[in-house]
Amino acid sequence: MTATSNSQADLRNDPANTQWGGRFAGGPSIIMMEINASIGFDRKMWRQDIRGSLAHAAMLAKLGILTPQDEIAIKNGLADIAAEIDAGKFDFATELEDIHMNIEARLTDRIGEAGKRLHTGRSRNDQVATDFRLWVRDAIDGLDAQVADVMLALAQRAAEFAAAPMPGFTHLQTAQPVTFGHHMLAYVEMLARDRGRLADCRRRLNECPLGSAALAGTSFPLDRDMTAAALGFDRPTANSLDAVSDRDFALEFLSAAAISAMHLSRLAEEIVIWCSAPYSFIRLSDAFTTGSSIMPQKRNPDAAELVRAKTGRVNGALIGLLTVMKGLPLAYAKDMQEDKEPAFDAADAWALSLAAIGGMVMDMTPNTARMAEFASSGFATATDLADWLVRVLKQPFRTAHHVTGRLVAKAEARGVRLDELTLAEMQAEEPGITAAIFDVLTVEASVASRRSYGGTAPANVAAQAARWLAALT
């Protein structure tokens, strides 16, 4: 760390923080400083704060509120501060409360009076709202790319195992055969919706609060369209009260995060189940498993379990911010300082979960023989038998359902699969059944027959996987 600058040292030693002027004759208590300061976490927004200040300075200079010399000094000073922070040499002062005051104090220390002019026409209220929107927007762009990477990994495995049968479950009971590729594509669809939610959130948040000042706007003739455009926003916010007090964009971001984390947790749970010895559908390498301190045979899917657990952190972030915001009157209140930590934490947890899930999807080795064996268990082709009765014998489906149920009971009593019943045993329940029934009772025939759009037929799965691969590459 560098030595504390003179202006920053003055602020620390002055019992009345000079950023606030003469009204506060006494300094804050240590407890007040601790609860009030946010620099411990909002320093994460330093890049966004500098970007906002550069845009604001350029606009003030264009309007003649700043001189060209002041703008150049501010621009160069902020560049030097960015280099200091990037190099880990910036002395963050708790006494200055937040990233905005820290950067402004350091700028004034470096360039003098010009640094004090930068805050003209803005407040910390619109400054933090702008910085936070910029941070969430940047996070969305990074996370969207990560979600797309996981989708690509899933689509690649789907193409690889488009025809590999596995049991499809409802209520975690064997229902009908599907293919492993089809199962992978289900998560591609979930994550595609997650990307859609991120895109919606980004579009709605892309309005610029800068220039709204504390709550009422400002008497300076600011060009808010200029600063909005410079920061990549679509437009400036239309109401200054709403602009400084809105955190819908953060709530929507956390909502999208929570839904996506839930999707990742569902896949993580399935990975945990599939890795267990009774199933043994997949194997994860040492890269994504750990051992036991006492049981040398264990290979624990800890990465999947931790993805599952991190969903709680993301959900907690959403509920926490909803609770902070629920009772706040317009406009800004210091409660809203509690908006950033949950968003930062949730974004980190989501990003790590995406990286872990993507890694496990590519790492896992499916045991196709084991999955195929299980796919035929639990009378999984019973629906195929009922469909045959409807299609060939023209029975009403409800009648076919009852006939099939009696045949399942007969097979269960004998301890055999449906296709191991004799033709005579089947005809005892329904005389119209012929030997052709056995053509539909295999797992392979079952999955091949599900050719309806979105179904599990291998040709369907291969086509859908190809479509996603083309879209994602």
Side-chain angles (χ1 to χ4, degrees):
M1 295 291 183
T2 60
T4 305
S5 65
N6 290 334
S7 62
Q8 288 174 310
D10 290 342
L11 288 167
R12 288 179 172 184
N13 296 326
D14 189 340
N17 187 326
T18 55
Q19 294 292 92
W20 300 124
R23 181 176 177 205
F24 293 89
S29 72
I30 296 299
I31 293 172
M32 182 59 194
M33 288 175 60
E34 286 295 319
I35 197 170
N36 196 48
S38 59
I39 189 61
F41 53 86
D42 70 12
R43 67 178 67 183
K44 199 178 184 91
M45 300 193 302
W46 68 265
R47 290 181 177 86
Q48 290 79 19
D49 193 74
I50 288 175
R51 281 162 58 191
S53 290
L54 287 170
H56 188 65
M59 181 270 295
L60 292 177
K62 178 190 173 186
L63 297 177
I65 298 171
L66 289 180
T67 67
Q69 294 78 16
D70 283 345
E71 183 194 6
I72 292 170
I74 289 169
K75 183 177 179 180
N76 292 338
L78 289 173
D80 291 340
I81 290 170
E84 282 184 6
I85 298 175
D86 214 19
K89 297 179 179 179
F90 189 91
D91 184 19
F92 293 101
T94 301
E95 294 83 354
L96 295 173
E97 296 184 9
D98 57 33
I99 188 61
H100 325 293
M101 290 293 201
N102 267 265
I103 288 177
E104 184 178 329
R106 182 63 175 140
L107 181 67
T108 300
D109 178 61
R110 295 186 70 93
I111 68 173
E113 290 296 309
K116 296 180 181 180
R117 296 190 179 101
L118 175 59
H119 208 54
T120 306
R122 74 177 183 184
S123 161
R124 277 200 303 179
N125 293 356
D126 62 334
Q127 188 178 1
V128 68
T130 302
D131 291 359
F132 196 22
R133 281 184 189 242
L134 288 171
W135 188 91
V136 170
R137 194 178 70 185
D138 290 344
I140 285 172
D141 292 344
L143 286 159
D144 177 73
Q146 276 197 271
V147 175
D149 287 343
V150 177
M151 291 172 64
L152 179 60
L154 288 162
Q156 288 171 340
R157 302 317 298 269
E160 187 179 356
F161 295 98
M166 71 172 291
F169 298 99
T170 61
H171 310 278
L172 206 57
Q173 305 297 311
T174 302
Q176 292 177 273
V178 296
T179 71
F180 190 68
H182 193 56
H183 203 110
M184 295 292 97
L185 287 178
Y187 285 99
V188 175
E189 296 291 336
M190 293 183 207
L191 294 176
R193 294 193 294 273
D194 294 338
R195 292 188 74 194
R197 276 180 280 271
L198 282 175
D200 289 344
C201 177
R202 193 187 196 284
R203 184 176 65 252
R204 268 185 288 276
L205 75 75
N206 211 34
E207 297 181 346
C208 184
L210 196 58
S212 298
L215 76 161
T218 177
S219 60
F220 291 96
L222 305 184
D223 186 345
R224 295 190 62 210
D225 289 296
M226 178 181 173
T227 48
L231 293 170
F233 289 107
D234 294 330
R235 64 191 71 82
T237 51
N239 184 285
S240 59
L241 282 167
D242 178 59
V244 300
S245 63
D246 168 47
R247 292 300 184 268
D248 288 3
F249 63 92
L251 289 166
E252 191 170 358
F253 171 68
L254 291 174
S255 176
I259 294 172
S260 184
M262 175 269 293
H263 290 153
L264 299 180
S265 183
R266 294 182 73 181
L267 179 52
E269 170 69 4
E270 297 207 282
I271 289 172
V272 170
I273 292 170
W274 294 343
C275 281
S276 66
Y279 281 83
S280 298
F281 285 180
I282 64 170
R283 185 180 187 277
L284 290 174
S285 76
D286 292 347
F288 289 96
T289 57
T290 64
S292 165
S293 64
I294 190 172
M295 295 169 285
Q297 84 281 8
K298 294 293 293 298
R299 182 187 292 272
N300 299 322
D302 283 5
E305 292 171 4
L306 288 166
V307 168
R308 193 173 57 187
K310 285 187 182 296
T311 305
R313 297 179 69 136
V314 180
N315 290 349
L318 172 61
I319 298 303
L321 186 53
L322 282 168
T323 305
V324 166
M325 297 300 298
K326 72 174 182 63
L328 297 187
L330 293 177
Y332 180 81
K334 199 60 179 272
D335 310 51
M336 294 165 68
Q337 183 167 287
E338 294 296 316
D339 58 357
K340 294 163 203 66
E341 283 187 286
F344 296 163
D345 185 67
D348 288 343
W350 187 10
L352 185 55
S353 296
L354 285 164
I357 284 288
M360 285 185 285
V361 167
M362 296 308 296
D363 179 77
M364 64 186 178
T365 302
N367 185 343
T368 55
R370 180 75 167 175
M371 286 192 289
E373 176 188 351
F374 268 67
S376 63
S377 67
F379 311 106
T381 57
T383 305
D384 298 276
L385 192 158
D387 288 348
W388 186 92
L389 294 174
V390 171
R391 189 170 56 251
V392 177
L393 300 186
K394 309 304 180 185
Q395 290 184 351
F397 181 79
R398 192 52 59 201
T399 300
H401 186 281
H402 291 323
V403 171
T404 301
R406 293 195 296 271
L407 288 171
V408 167
K410 183 175 287 189
E412 188 172 34
R414 281 194 51 204
V416 298
R417 300 192 309 266
L418 275 175
D419 61 346
E420 293 175 326
L421 289 173
T422 66
L423 180 59
E425 286 174 312
M426 291 190 180
Q427 289 175 336
E429 296 296 337
E430 172 49 62
I433 293 177
T434 69
I437 192 68
F438 294 102
D439 293 336
V440 303
L441 295 182
T442 66
V443 166
E444 292 73 20
S446 177
V447 295
S449 71
R450 308 297 170 188
R451 294 185 295 272
S452 59
Y453 182 77
T456 194
N460 286 17
V461 176
Q464 290 284 2
R467 176 177 70 85
W468 277 115
L469 288 171
L472 293 164
T473 54

